[in-house]
Amino acid sequence: MNDNRNYKYSIDSVSKRGEFKIVSRFVSKRAKVIDLACGDGTLLKLLKEKKNVKGLGVELAPSGVKAAKRKGVMSIQSRIDVKLPFKDNEFDYAICNVTLHMVMYPETLVSEMVRISKKQIITFPNFAHFLNRLELLFFGRMPQLMLYGYKWFSTGEIHQLSIKDFEQFCLKNNIKILKTEHYGPGRLLSIPIYPLVKLFPNVFASMAVFLTEAKKIK
């Protein structure tokens, strides 16, 4: 049975994700970056090569830490939804890529990201995607589209959220959204839907990428 509650990476694991290019565009050259839930270190390695960043990864899975170190990426093992052992604004960017919805305390994670970094990059699947809505409406079950082969009981995705949910969270927690980029399938049944992703991201985007910072209190 497929189960993604405990990730196990091979020592030579290499991740390929569509949002990596967007995250790279959001990061400035030679920045100091922390990647929270860095997995096998692929994203940090990319940022080191493309943007010459100084990076640190934090990963819960021991196999992920080993795979990251094999790539030459500095990585430590730890939970990320707890008080983190770093100083205020110690990093230029804190990144959390497709993991916010998989931690027990996502509000703590975001709060700590805002505390330890000047800017934050957060990505997550948009659970309000229209295919999820249709599956729930017509089949009356937990949508399978964004569980990627897992079941409601065997997935680590315990806090599914939508683009609108995250925007409201930022508003209530004094977090300023600097940039957003959303994407989804370019076509569906030969019908182009990319323009709809741009116009109605909370309905048609499958993935959300946010660049944020703390609001300045006047």
Side-chain angles (χ1 to χ4, degrees), residues 2-214:
N2 288 337
D3 191 319
N4 71 344
R5 287 170 288 188
N6 295 292
Y7 277 94
K8 292 183 180 179
Y9 299 91
S10 69
I11 193 66
D12 296 314
S13 172
V14 176
S15 299
K16 296 180 181 180
R17 298 198 57 91
E19 67 274 5
F20 282 179
K21 290 183 179 180
I22 301 174
V23 172
S24 180
R25 288 202 299 269
F26 283 1
V27 174
S28 301
K29 291 183 178 180
R30 294 178 291 278
K32 188 175 181 182
V33 175
I34 185 168
D35 186 357
L36 299 169
C38 68
D40 59 21
T42 300
L43 176 57
L44 267 180
K45 182 182 179 183
L46 173 68
L47 293 175
K48 287 177 67 176
E49 293 172 347
K50 299 291 186 182
K51 294 299 184 76
N52 194 26
V53 305
K54 181 178 180 182
L56 171 66
V58 181
E59 170 58 38
L60 183 61
S63 58
V65 174
K66 290 179 181 178
K69 288 182 177 179
R70 187 175 178 87
K71 294 180 178 67
V73 171
M74 186 181 299
S75 182
I76 60 174
Q77 183 184 1
S78 176
R79 282 180 58 183
I80 59 172
D81 57 338
V82 294
K83 178 75 173 179
L84 298 172
F86 304 107
K87 299 176 183 177
D88 293 359
N89 290 325
E90 185 169 341
F91 300 91
D92 296 309
Y93 297 88
I95 300 170
C96 181
N97 188 48
V98 291
T99 307
L100 180 65
H101 55 300
M102 301 184 76
V103 299
M104 185 62 68
Y105 300 101
E107 73 279 20
T108 300
L109 169 56
V110 175
S111 176
E112 282 295 280
M113 291 179 71
V114 171
R115 181 184 68 80
I116 68 173
S117 66
K118 298 171 186 175
K119 294 180 181 178
Q120 305 78 44
I121 300 174
I122 299 171
T123 81
F124 54 87
N126 174 36
F127 198 63
H129 189 272
F130 77 100
L131 291 179
N132 279 348
R133 301 183 190 210
L134 291 175
E135 186 171 356
L136 182 60
L137 176 64
F138 289 107
F139 295 100
R141 68 184 186 194
M142 179 69 169
Q144 301 293 301
L145 174 67
M146 291 184 184
L147 297 184
Y148 302 103
Y150 303 103
K151 303 297 183 181
W152 65 267
F153 56 86
S154 63
T155 180
E157 302 184 19
I158 57 177
H159 286 114
Q160 294 279 14
L161 72 158
S162 69
I163 292 170
K164 185 173 290 186
D165 284 326
F166 188 73
E167 290 173 342
Q168 292 176 346
F169 177 87
C170 290
L171 183 63
K172 292 180 179 179
N173 289 276
N174 295 314
I175 298 171
K176 182 179 180 181
I177 297 173
L178 300 174
K179 290 182 182 179
T180 63
E181 195 158 333
H182 313 304
Y183 67 90
R187 307 177 72 86
L188 185 67
L189 299 177
S190 299
I191 301 173
I193 65 169
Y194 183 73
L196 295 177
V197 173
K198 287 288 188 180
L199 289 172
F200 308 104
N202 197 54
V203 178
F204 292 98
S206 59
M207 185 66 65
V209 184
F210 282 83
L211 175 67
T212 66
E213 69 177 7

